[in-house]
Amino acid sequence: MKKLLAIVIVCFIVATSYIAYVITQRQAMLKNVAHHNDSWAVSQSVSEYMRLEHRLAAYGLGVESGTLDEVRLRLDIMIGRLDILQHGTLRQLIDADPHQQETLDRLHQVLTKLEAGVYGDAPLDVRAMLAEMADLDGAMTAMASYAAEYDAQRIDTQYEALTRLHRIYTGLAGGLIVCGISLIVLLLYHNRLLNRAHDGMQVLAADLRIASGELQVRNDKLAHAAHHDALTGLPNRMLFREQLEARIAARAEGIHVAILLLDLDGFKNVNDTLGHDTGDALLRAVAGRLSRLVEPGDLVCRLGGDEFIVLSAALSEREACALADRVIAEIALPYLLAEREIAVATSVGLALSQEGVGSDELLKHADLALYEAKRLGRGRVCVFRPELHTRILDRTSFEVDLQKALANGEMEVFYQPVVDAGTRAVSGYEALLRWNHPLRGQVAPSDFIPVAEETGIIQELGEWVLRTACADAARWPAPLKVAVNLSPVQFRSKALVQTVTSALAHGRLEPGRLELEITESVLLDRNAQTLQTLRSLKGLGIQIAMDDFGTGYSSLGSLRGFPFDKIKIDRSFIRDVTTGSDAIAIVELVIGVARNLGMATTAEGIETEEQFECLKRLGCDQMQGYLFGRPMPLGDLPELGETPAHEPATRAGVFLPPLSRIGLG
Ligand code: C2E
Ligand code: MG
Ligand code: MG
């Protein structure tokens, strides 16, 4: 389009310039035509010549008008004319034709002779002169017609040139008009294109405005997502930190910023046994309760997992503790989720801002306080005190120590008897792991097993317990059963069946004497692999027991789909069995269900004769508890063929220290 416009404009300029040139040419030509009237000049000369001849004849005849002066006047005029004929363009005209040159020469001679006769002393023979002049008449007339013809020719030529110029001019003018029209058309077209482009731009601008609006909304959403937890909609850790820093910076003299760090007790159990959907619903419900509980201006955040935090200001320590108590009480109220009543507790770590304590440190304080609250038991609040610092160091060193415990020979397997309810004879032993730390003393499994599970050390520890228990049991004098606890973490390992097979082979223990205890959480992922592993283990001839039965959320449901050999009723039911009718009813129900499913039952935590009698009456097959024996090192159980460790002795002449004591599998 632009090229087209440029071409038209160039054509326009060229045509205009050429028209200007043509007009100049035409003007010059018209001037020529006007100036060069040669035929007229020649015919005037011929007329003058005739007049001279006439005056001379009148003088010769002596008529009144024929005076010498008259002849002289005409001669002078004629000489003037001759001069004109001999110069300028007339001369060129005459030179172009030899006849005319000759005529001019003859005219010159005649006039010279006449001049001599009229002005000189020589006698003027008028008659002879007239005859001579008459001779020239024809040539003079021919010259006049020659000039006329020449002029006519030249006018024709000029006319033709003018006609040609006119045509060119007309053509160019037409071209100019066409160029002009094209230019107008192109400009109109260009204008339309511009209008369209303008409309397009306006649409684009509107679209851009909409897009920018959408982008803004999206940005806002992103900013919200970056600062909020997707599950509960609460502010997340990032927003919490920003707010904490801002509040600490803006904190007025003497006014505390309090943070309450919450961790749900028992949430993992809900998640593991009832599934993640219920776990998520529980977290949302907890978030809702917390949000309703706090004062306007307080901030409730979810830090991740089952960790929440409440950020409050202008609270004294007493007020902050009161808030924490309210939080604990509110969270502990039962939740109705998926048509079930669910209970969780929460532990709270409370930290109050102090001069010179930054946000990171304050959060660490709350974390330490929470750790302490957890240690003290469920549903507690603990306020940060500087002494807790040493405990955190202890916690990290705990993991490090646990990593090295096995290699350092600090691990030991204790055995607790399981008795037959009817005869009270020992039918087997449960292997229970003990950690004898040189400084911490004996660490309880409830303290280190969760850490071992978290860090993955449980795989190594579990395998060691299994190999030790199999090897120890193989050496017992009687073919009693040995029960080994399996962590859900171990159960998820694909190598479990291989590990068990290898432990049996290593200890040369008959598979029928080994009993593996699993908890309900193993069956959380009741997938093909879980059932396949259980079947493979059973296929080896091993017995499988369901441990701590009744503590999960789907106890009865967990019995479906897999034929356990035994159910171990959790200690918590046994404790209340002599006091609460509820516990009796539950235990009775469990024993009945187990019997119907062809499973044996073991009651855990029997401490009194009363409990023993009660469980016996209810039809429980086996019992385990302090009443029959506490978990003991192998060396303290002489009935298993080992003499106590403090009384080293030989058996068959060779001293055999318990394998579990020397840290070998
Ligand atoms: P568990 O398998 O249910 O073991 C029974 C627990 O109850 C033992 O605690 C035992 O000492 C305790 N107990 C037995 N009778 C009584 C009683 O009459 N009264 C009271 N109050 N307690 C009694 P322990 O040894 O502290 O072990 C706690 C838990 O740690 C075990 O519960 C088991 O789940 C786990 N655990 C122990 N050893 C291992 C292990 O080698 N591997 C795995 N994965 N877990 C283990
Ligand atoms: Mg057990
Ligand atoms: Mg148990």
Side-chain angles (χ1 to χ4, degrees):
M1 180 68 195
K2 275 184 189 166
K3 270 186 191 166
L4 212 62
L5 259 177
I7 291 168
V8 169
I9 289 169
V10 168
C11 288
F12 208 87
I13 292 168
V14 170
T16 315
S17 314
Y18 199 66
I19 280 180
Y21 167 75
V22 165
I23 287 172
T24 318
Q25 287 273 91
R26 207 161 104 157
Q27 278 172 349
M29 221 165 262
L30 282 171
K31 214 158 131 190
N32 269 354
V33 170
H35 280 209
H36 301 290
N37 204 344
D38 295 341
S39 59
W40 183 83
V42 173
S43 66
Q44 280 299 310
S45 301
V46 172
S47 299
E48 273 313 315
Y49 182 75
M50 294 303 170
R51 260 188 224 115
L52 173 64
E53 218 178 338
H54 181 257
R55 290 289 178 270
L56 186 61
Y59 172 69
L61 290 172
V63 290
E64 200 180 337
S65 59
T67 62
L68 190 59
D69 286 340
E70 191 64 26
V71 173
R72 279 183 180 154
L73 173 67
R74 288 294 153 193
L75 178 62
D76 287 346
I77 291 170
M78 194 55 213
I79 287 170
R81 284 280 162 193
L82 179 66
D83 192 41
I84 290 169
L85 289 174
Q86 282 176 327
H87 296 97
T89 53
L90 284 178
R91 177 80 215 188
Q92 285 169 11
L93 171 75
I94 288 161
D95 282 350
D97 183 12
H99 293 298
Q100 306 311 322
Q101 274 181 356
E102 192 192 330
T103 305
L104 192 64
D105 290 343
R106 279 175 63 198
L107 178 63
H108 183 255
Q109 284 167 13
V110 166
L111 291 182
T112 309
K113 200 171 181 180
L114 184 59
E115 189 181 22
V118 171
Y119 289 105
D121 299 333
L124 178 64
D125 185 355
V126 175
R127 198 174 283 259
M129 200 66 229
L130 278 172
E132 207 170 322
M133 281 180 78
D135 263 2
L136 204 57
D137 280 353
M140 284 300 282
T141 313
M143 184 187 277
S145 59
Y146 168 75
E149 198 178 322
Y150 178 80
D151 259 0
Q153 240 176 35
R154 212 163 48 171
I155 284 168
D156 278 353
T157 313
Q158 300 279 23
Y159 181 74
E160 270 171 31
L162 270 175
T163 311
R164 205 178 65 244
L165 281 176
H166 181 72
R167 275 200 218 103
I168 291 171
Y169 178 83
T170 311
L172 282 174
L176 269 184
I177 289 165
V178 170
C179 279
I181 291 169
S182 316
L183 206 61
I184 288 166
V185 169
L186 283 174
L187 283 175
L188 285 175
Y189 181 64
H190 198 241
N191 227 19
R192 218 175 74 194
L193 286 183
L194 277 178
N195 279 341
R196 266 195 217 161
H198 183 250
D199 291 348
M201 285 297 284
Q202 273 183 334
V203 172
L204 207 67
D207 285 353
L208 270 177
R209 265 197 300 277
I210 293 168
S212 127
E214 280 172 4
L215 208 67
Q216 186 60 42
V217 171
R218 213 170 287 178
N219 275 351
D220 292 348
K221 275 188 188 160
L222 276 177
H224 186 271
H227 288 95
H228 290 81
D229 168 47
L231 178 68
T232 60
L234 289 179
N236 62 11
R237 186 181 287 270
M238 196 191 284
L239 188 53
F240 164 74
R241 292 195 83 92
E242 285 173 15
Q243 286 286 320
L244 180 63
E245 274 161 24
R247 289 184 194 206
I248 287 179
R251 164 177 91 94
E253 193 71 30
I255 294 181
H256 286 303
V257 173
I259 55 174
L260 282 72
L261 184 60
L262 280 74
D263 188 282
L264 300 184
D265 304 314
F267 175 72
K268 189 175 177 299
N269 199 18
V270 174
N271 224 9
D272 286 353
T273 54
L274 298 181
H276 292 284
D277 287 348
T278 311
D280 287 353
L282 179 62
L283 289 174
R284 278 196 289 268
V286 168
R289 286 188 189 181
L290 285 174
S291 304
R292 283 191 292 276
L293 197 72
V294 298
E295 298 292 325
D298 290 356
L299 192 73
V300 179
C301 311
R302 179 175 172 228
L303 296 190
D306 59 348
E307 258 191 2
F308 292 85
I309 201 155
V310 178
L311 178 60
S312 193
L315 293 181
S316 65
E317 185 176 319
R318 208 162 51 79
E319 288 165 334
C321 282
L323 174 63
D325 287 339
R326 284 203 301 281
V327 165
I328 290 170
E330 183 74 22
I331 299 295
L333 295 175
Y335 299 81
L336 192 67
L337 297 171
E339 295 173 6
R340 269 170 206 273
E341 203 172 80
I342 293 171
V344 279
T346 186
S347 304
V348 178
L350 173 59
L352 293 158
S353 60
Q354 296 158 25
E355 203 55 60
V357 172
S359 57
D360 282 349
E361 215 176 334
L362 191 61
L363 195 57
K364 204 188 279 176
H365 289 175
D367 200 31
L368 287 172
L370 176 64
Y371 180 73
E372 184 63 7
K374 285 252 169 207
R375 205 183 62 82
L376 293 173
R378 292 158 68 99
R380 297 247 192 163
V381 55
C382 178
V383 184
F384 171 79
R385 303 274 178 251
E387 311 85 76
L388 288 178
H389 253 312
T390 44
R391 296 226 176 103
I392 185 94
L393 295 174
D394 193 46
R395 192 164 75 176
T396 38
S397 72
F398 188 86
E399 279 179 26
V400 176
D401 288 356
L402 187 60
Q403 301 259 14
K404 296 186 283 192
L406 200 57
N408 289 349
E410 293 164 13
M411 288 296 176
E412 189 176 3
V413 177
F414 275 30
Y415 293 94
Q416 185 180 29
V418 178
V419 302
D420 185 87
T423 60
R424 274 178 97 140
V426 175
S427 60
Y429 288 85
E430 179 175 2
L432 293 162
L433 187 57
R434 293 291 178 266
W435 180 15
N436 302 307
H437 190 274
L439 299 174
R440 297 174 205 272
Q442 200 169 74
V443 186
S446 53
D447 287 338
F448 71 83
I449 295 282
V451 179
E453 285 176 336
E454 259 172 49
T455 51
I457 307 169
I458 192 70
Q459 299 284 8
E460 199 187 345
L461 279 181
E463 187 175 345
W464 179 79
V465 173
L466 196 63
R467 289 168 83 89
T468 306
C470 287
D472 285 351
R475 288 200 300 270
W476 293 343
L480 299 174
K481 290 211 168 130
V482 64
V484 177
N485 292 285
L486 278 190
S487 153
V489 178
Q490 277 175 281
F491 206 84
R492 282 197 285 273
S493 156
K494 288 196 176 125
L496 180 64
V497 178
Q498 177 55 39
T499 306
V500 174
T501 315
S502 148
L504 287 168
H506 173 263
R508 297 198 186 142
L509 184 73
E510 289 163 35
R513 288 181 57 199
L514 178 63
E515 193 172 83
L516 294 178
E517 295 187 7
I518 61 164
T519 50
E520 288 170 47
S521 52
V522 167
L523 296 170
L524 165 73
D525 305 320
R526 187 187 281 273
N527 54 34
Q529 201 211 318
T530 317
L531 294 177
Q532 181 54 44
T533 309
L534 280 171
R535 290 208 179 96
S536 304
L537 290 172
K538 258 202 119 169
L540 294 174
I542 293 164
Q543 301 201 326
I544 311 282
M546 166 67 78
D547 201 2
D548 303 339
F549 188 78
T551 52
Y553 279 95
S554 59
S555 299
L556 286 175
S558 67
L559 299 179
R560 286 171 52 212
F562 186 77
F564 288 96
D565 297 289
K566 186 192 274 186
I567 293 176
K568 294 186 81 174
I569 305 167
D570 191 65
R571 202 168 70 226
S572 54
F573 297 102
I574 309 305
R575 195 178 50 217
D576 303 333
V577 92
T578 49
T579 51
S581 56
D582 283 3
I584 293 190
I586 292 170
V587 171
E588 202 172 6
L589 175 79
V590 173
I591 292 171
V593 169
R595 191 168 293 153
N596 283 335
L597 293 172
M599 301 172 188
T601 43
T602 301
E604 294 185 293
I606 303 284
E607 292 184 354
T608 63
E609 285 294 342
E610 214 182 339
Q611 287 168 342
F612 170 71
E613 288 303 330
C614 182
L615 265 298
K616 193 177 166 186
R617 210 174 43 251
L618 289 173
C620 188
D621 303 306
Q622 292 175 335
M623 314 247 181
Q624 184 181 354
Y626 294 168
L627 182 65
F628 317 105
R630 288 177 177 259
M632 306 271 269
L634 194 63
D636 291 350
L637 295 165
E639 69 272 21
L640 293 184
E642 301 283 347
T643 48
H646 48 84
E647 281 177 35
T650 57
R651 196 173 60 182
V654 184
F655 172 65
L656 290 173
L659 291 176
S660 54
R661 285 257 174 125
I662 55 170
L664 295 171

